[in-house]
Amino acid sequence: MQSDDLFVRKLRHPPTRSSPHKSPRESKSLIATGNSKHNGGGRSLSESDPDPREKGTSSPSAIRFKDPFLLLGLAGISQGPSAQEAKEKPPEGCPVAQRPKSFAHHDVQSILFDPFRKGESESRKNVRSGASAASQLRTCTSSPRRSLSSPEEPGDPGDGKDNELLLSCPYFRNEIAGESFDGQKDPGWNFCTSFTLHSPHITSPVRGPNAAVSVLEEARERMRDSSYFVEYQDLGALYYRKYFYGKEHQNFFGIDERLGPVAISLRRDEREGPQSIQYNYRIVFRTTELKTLRGSILEEAFPPTIRTNSSRAISPKKLLEYVIPEVSLQCLRLASNSPKVPDTLLKLDEQGLNFQRKIGILYCRAGQSSEEEMYNNETAGPAFKEFLSLLGDEVRLKGFDKYRAQLDNKTDSTGTHSLYTRYQDYEIMFHVSTMLPYTASNSQQLLRKRHIGNDIVTIVFQEPGAHPFTPKTIRSHFQHVFLVVHAHNPCTPHTSYSVAISRTADTQSFGPVLPTTYFRRSPELRDFLLSKAVNGENAAERGGKFLAMATRTREEYLRDLARDHATTATLDSCSSKLAILSLSKKRDRAGSTGPSEKAGKGPRWTYTIPPEFHSPGALVWTVRVLSSFIPEGIYLLGISSEMLVLVDSKKEKEGAVCFHCSCRDVLGWTYSSKGGLDLYYGRAGKLGLRPIAGSDGEVEEEVNHIVKRLQVVSGGCETREISLLRNGLGQLGFIADSGGFVTEVERFSMAETVGLSPGTRLVAVCGQPFCSLTPDDVRSLFLSARKVTVTTLPPDESGKPRRCYSELYVRSLQEKRVLKTSRGGEDEEETMDRKAEPPSETQSLLRTLSVQEERTEFRVQQ
């Protein structure tokens, strides 16, 4: 008789693959015979597989009799490595690994966090990158205007876009003019494009691009001295600095078998809730990938099996098991009390966040185009000096105490002067070719190239008559983005500039969008170029060699923490001591969780709605989206206290946010007959949302949860669908303006009978969003449609039409502009008196909206 160990080995041995020369029936009989021989019976291995008719069996004993490993007290088939791999994969229909529904994500990166999804790795370590990838190819041009790409060249041929400034180049992508990166235009924001600030190039003073969305938990600051937004900026990296650094918290380090080195930070703090003080658990989970999980969960939102009836905090072990089940808790050790630990974590988290930028500037004279020619221009011409004065201030390097970008501020070895400026939160030092040391005996001008050649972004200034630029003439691994600026009529009152952009193929597109018209010599050109340069460097750092370098640095930091700064205290010992925070005394001061209830007893929550819906971070649902401007598919819907976003995890590299709006821009919603939700926002734009769930009942429950969250964070309400009948004259009995607002309702008409009143807003007509209809389309539907059905939003509590916050903001800017134009001839004293005038009606309404706490009543479920 064989031993149990041999029996186990035989069962664990994978079935032999059938030979290609044998029929499937012969292979099956051989497997059955072999199993019969070794197991002492006629039962084959396939007989141990569960019966498909018994999928619903959940009894442990039933599983035990189907799995022989469990009979021996060993890890069963459902608990082996293959089963673990299956657990690591997200459920079908879910693009990423899902956190608990009550977990509030701090930023977009946290929504996309999946510890088992490996990012882009740099497999071509010894292959040229940046401009060098193009310069190593054979030159195949015979005229200045001929494209450098050809079918005979290997690899990436380029995009074929040429103009007077820029030639197409292998491994590069050119932006000529007027290209949009956010897909089809969203008609829900038409009111933004109808207003401009001080320049025709600015089309949206309110809503930034999707690539500029980062933190969801906090309100984004409005534009200050610039009309453009910074894109691809991981502002969520400041989470540890804001909520952990210098405060009492716990850190755990370890090396997971599957994830590698990991670092976790936990903190329990208190916040004012709707009825009493609430306790919030904040989490930062770091792996070797550059994505970090940052978020929080309210104590009242934990399941009753995790929350205790005592006043003690939830243990770190239970917290991590609930929020991050992927990590192996046995590998974690409590961090030491060394002051180096929080400093290292701070440096690790803010590794990719840098508010100091260096930008190279090359000077191209008439008739020039090559790198060597530009580097050998010893002095600047009048047109170049005029351009430099627009970008920044010329500063003396010796004794300069601000950001110097590796320039010598002691001995003038890198020149005596340079160009410096500030843009939004950034310090920018320019490496100007004509301000760097010139060496007459060195045609390569290495003293200049050592600085400009190591800059990611380079501005190429072209005088009139310069040949088109191509990155193929540049030899540098670091130069990934080129901003080509061509001067027209320089040093005259009619000076203007045209701009073109070239970026490496692995650098994602970035804004702002290049306009089709020329720039005048004005601060607008400076704002555009600096914004484009900052965004270009941020985009370049997200891929290629820069991503690989950052990943290696991060892994070294994590391994150093796990090796040198971890104690021997395990997670179990820390959980027993509850060292996460000693807030039990504060809890007594905070009082009970509800009226006449002791802490931790009674129902799960004593709120009108579940407590997690009051979380400031983003709650996430997996939904299918139907829209006219977003491709139909599965997205992650995140709703925080400030913002609503749709995230496409499949486009993470390009910029995963496909749609965003402020929660104050949500107008209302309609319960769809197909079990989903139609969301109206902005100028009555429409999004169709259907949650991904197993059954219709679960879909309905998810829809109700989305609505409850919207009721808490937005001022929207449920819409009404009204069917209208015409009178004998073919009239509907009401008048609406071009914005869809009902201005007049005929007395005793059918429109008045069904509840239509002045101030009502039409968001859809005959099922079509109002913002997508022209006035002629609306008139045609009203006159000729067999059945006129309108979806409406009732007036607000004060009887005024419902408008979104962005629309009111634009109207206030327009009122200020009209007021300024009408009083343009007044002197300074009258301007000061004007500040004391009472605010306009729109500004008063904006002020009311900013402090409004009233929420729409919940929809009563039958």
Side-chain angles (χ1 to χ4, degrees), residues 540-613:
E541 290 176 345
R542 289 168 54 90
K545 65 179 300 179
F546 301 111
L547 178 63
M549 291 166 57
T551 302
R552 288 194 296 268
T553 303
R554 182 181 179 89
E555 183 174 359
E556 291 174 3
Y557 272 122
L558 289 173
R559 288 194 181 277
D560 177 69
L561 289 171
R563 181 181 62 250
D564 301 331
H565 299 283
T567 65
T568 58
T570 63
L571 191 66
D572 290 326
S573 62
C574 297
S575 300
S576 61
K577 295 177 182 179
L578 289 172
I580 192 168
L581 268 187
S582 55
L583 286 179
S584 58
K585 295 182 179 179
K586 295 183 179 181
R587 188 182 182 95
D588 297 336
R589 173 179 58 82
S592 60
T593 58
S596 303
E597 295 283 352
K598 293 183 179 181
K601 296 183 178 181
R604 180 182 172 187
W605 48 66
T606 55
Y607 306 94
T608 310
I609 58 175
E612 56 263 31
F613 292 121

Side-chain angles (χ1 to χ4, degrees), residues 31-135:
I31 295 174
T33 305
N35 289 330
S36 173
K37 178 179 179 180
H38 290 296
N39 297 335
R43 184 184 178 200
S44 66
L45 180 63
S46 61
E47 293 181 30
S48 63
D49 296 335
D51 192 333
R53 295 170 296 179
E54 299 177 359
K55 288 184 178 180
T57 305
S58 59
S59 170
S61 59
I63 299 176
R64 187 176 298 115
F65 281 108
K66 289 180 174 57
D67 194 338
F69 299 132
L70 293 179
L71 287 172
L72 299 175
L74 303 174
I77 297 174
S78 60
Q79 301 172 5
S82 59
Q84 189 62 43
E85 292 179 4
K87 290 181 180 179
E88 294 173 2
K89 297 180 180 179
E92 185 177 356
C94 297
V96 297
Q98 296 290 293
R99 302 295 123 200
K101 291 291 184 182
S102 55
F103 183 78
H105 301 73
H106 177 69
D107 55 359
V108 174
Q109 187 181 116
S110 299
I111 294 179
L112 291 168
F113 178 80
D114 188 343
F116 297 106
R117 176 184 293 183
K118 299 298 181 183
E120 174 187 335
S121 61
E122 185 64 37
S123 58
R124 302 175 297 125
K125 294 182 180 179
N126 298 322
V127 176
R128 296 176 184 269
S129 61
S132 293
S135 64

Side-chain angles (χ1 to χ4, degrees), residues 361 380 383-393 419 432 434-435:
I361 303 182
F384 191 38
K385 291 181 179 179
E386 182 183 42
F387 173 70
L388 294 179
S389 65
L390 190 66
L391 281 184
D393 302 319
L419 202 67
V432 185
T434 56
M435 291 183 176

Side-chain angles (χ1 to χ4, degrees), residues 664 796-805 807-809 811-812 815 839-852:
R664 291 180 290 182
D796 59 18
E797 292 79 2
S798 61
K800 297 179 180 179
R802 290 184 181 270
R803 299 180 186 269
C804 73
Y805 182 85
E807 191 173 5
L808 291 170
Y809 179 71
R811 283 168 60 90
S812 68
E815 290 174 358
S840 65
E841 179 182 354
T842 304
Q843 289 174 322
S844 300
L845 187 54
L846 275 170
R847 194 170 300 168
T848 303
L849 280 176
S850 64
V851 298
Q852 185 179 8

Side-chain angles (χ1 to χ4, degrees), residues 198-199 201-202 227-228 519 522-529:
H198 57 272
S199 168
H201 304 305
I202 308 173
S227 304
Y228 300 110
F519 287 91
S522 66
E524 169 61 18
L525 174 61
R526 173 186 179 272
D527 284 353
F528 178 85
L529 290 177

